[in-house]
Each structure stands twice: as C-alpha cells, then as structure tokens.
Amino acid sequence: MSQDPNSRRGIFLLTLSGWDPSASENSPSGDSYDGNDPKSFEEVNNVTDSRFVVITDLGIMAKKSLDGSRDIFVQSIHSGSPVNGAKVSVISRNGSVLFIRTTGEDGHASFPSLAAFQNERSPVMFLIEKEGDVSFLPTTTDYDRTLDFSRFDIYGEVNPTDPRTLSSYLFSDPRNVPPGR
C-alpha cells in the first residue's frame, strides 16, 4: 500500500525549547539548578521559540491592482506548472470565509477589492487548498510581512552622462537555444 504523498504536507507549529543535558543527568527530575550559574533558573529552562513551518507544493503569488482587486497565481513548486482546480479562499480576522474561487488552467484566480471589509471581517490571508495540500499567503501589508530591501542592492546603475547612451542586458534560457548556436 502506497502512502499518500500529501500526508507529509501541511502547516505545522514547531516549538523549540532549551535543554541542558548536564542538568538532566544530575537530577532525577531534570530540573536541577545549583545557583552558581549567573543565569537564573527561568532563563536556563524557559528558552523557547515557535515558528510556523509550511510544507507544500503550492507556490503562491498575489498582485494588487490600482482598483484594489487581487490576482492570485498558484503554481507547483515541483514542476513549475500552473495549478488548475486549486481552491483559493479569502479568510477574515474572525475566521469567516469572505470569498472562494477556483484557479483555472493558468493557475489564476481573481478577487474584487477587499477594502470594504473592516474590523473583525478584515481579510488576513489567502488560503490555497488542492487534494490535501495546503498553503497560505498573508493579505496584509503590515511592515513585518513585507520584504525588507535594506539588505539588498536595489539602486541599479547610475545613468550615463550622455542621455543618448542605453545600457541593456539580455537573458535567455539556454535550454531553448538550438544546437550549434
């Protein structure tokens, strides 16, 4: 019997906590603290961190138009091809579903402007589901949810002094070049 390939996919909460192996070996309860360490007992035993981990084949890209409408594109991370028939839902802050769309053959789903939804009905994420696989993308533009460009060189080249000069770069996929060229 083969295992369902989606059984290892999903959204998981991973929680890590500190562990002192010497404390565990010296105490039957594992909670020993001799008082000589400058760290307090709480600092030694309560170091934790949690993260959401998403394991999925559903890659998502969202675009917002000037009129506020949203276009969602879903593609397979494994094959790179558009995902047809994926269910795309807009989930609000209170957990209700505001809209549901299904992607077409091009992996695209459209939504109207979400600006009218406020307070508990304000949208917080796009939830994508397909055959047991799930992924999500936040809808907010809060500062902590955007890509910080401060560590990336995004300034480009300085314009040449001669305005008639044009610099360009050509990129091509080498797999599409005929042999012998």
Side-chain angles (χ1 to χ4, degrees), residues 149-159:
F149 290 113
S150 65
R151 296 182 341 174
F152 301 101
D153 181 15
I154 60 168
Y155 298 104
E157 277 189 37
V158 177
N159 290 335

Side-chain angles (χ1 to χ4, degrees), residues 63-71 110-114:
K63 293 192 173 196
K64 184 177 179 182
S65 300
L66 288 176
D67 65 358
S69 63
R70 307 282 181 115
D71 292 299
S110 296
F111 293 93
S113 174
L114 304 173

Side-chain angles (χ1 to χ4, degrees), residues 1-52:
M1 180 171 130
S2 65
Q3 187 176 12
D4 178 13
N6 293 326
S7 65
R8 296 179 186 211
R9 295 183 184 163
I11 302 170
F12 304 93
L13 178 62
L14 179 66
T15 302
L16 303 174
S17 60
W19 177 63
D20 183 359
S22 63
S24 295
E25 292 172 5
N26 297 334
S27 167
S29 68
D31 292 336
S32 71
Y33 179 70
D34 63 7
N36 295 325
D37 189 340
K39 293 182 181 178
S40 71
F41 177 78
E42 288 78 21
E43 287 177 320
V44 171
N45 290 304
N46 289 330
V47 177
T48 62
D49 196 9
S50 295
R51 296 282 190 260
F52 277 112

Side-chain angles (χ1 to χ4, degrees), residues 90-106:
V90 180
I91 308 297
S92 69
R93 185 175 309 276
N94 67 4
S96 64
V97 177
L98 302 175
F99 295 102
I100 297 176
R101 301 285 191 271
T102 302
T103 58
E105 289 183 11
D106 57 355

Side-chain angles (χ1 to χ4, degrees), residues 40-168:
S40 71
F41 177 78
E42 288 78 21
E43 287 177 320
V44 171
N45 290 304
N46 289 330
V47 177
T48 62
D49 196 9
S50 295
R51 296 282 190 260
F52 277 112
V53 177
V54 180
I55 301 174
T56 184
D57 184 45
L58 301 172
I60 312 162
M61 184 174 66
K63 293 192 173 196
K64 184 177 179 182
S65 300
L66 288 176
D67 65 358
S69 63
R70 307 282 181 115
D71 292 299
I72 307 299
F73 299 90
V74 182
Q75 76 175 46
S76 166
I77 294 172
H78 176 72
S79 69
S81 59
V83 175
N84 183 17
K87 178 178 144 185
V88 182
S89 306
V90 180
I91 308 297
S92 69
R93 185 175 309 276
N94 67 4
S96 64
V97 177
L98 302 175
F99 295 102
I100 297 176
R101 301 285 191 271
T102 302
T103 58
E105 289 183 11
D106 57 355
H108 175 249
S110 296
F111 293 93
S113 174
L114 304 173
F117 298 99
Q118 300 292 321
N119 301 322
E120 73 278 355
R121 289 185 44 96
S122 61
V124 293
M125 73 172 163
F126 295 103
L127 179 67
I128 294 54
E129 300 170 282
K130 169 83 184 221
E131 298 173 357
D133 201 355
V134 63
S135 188
F136 72 96
L137 184 69
T139 61
T140 64
T141 55
D142 295 339
Y143 181 73
D144 66 335
R145 300 285 187 232
T146 59
L147 181 60
D148 180 7
F149 290 113
S150 65
R151 296 182 341 174
F152 301 101
D153 181 15
I154 60 168
Y155 298 104
E157 277 189 37
V158 177
N159 290 335
T161 55
D162 184 357
R164 297 172 293 168
T165 305
L166 177 66
S167 296
S168 63

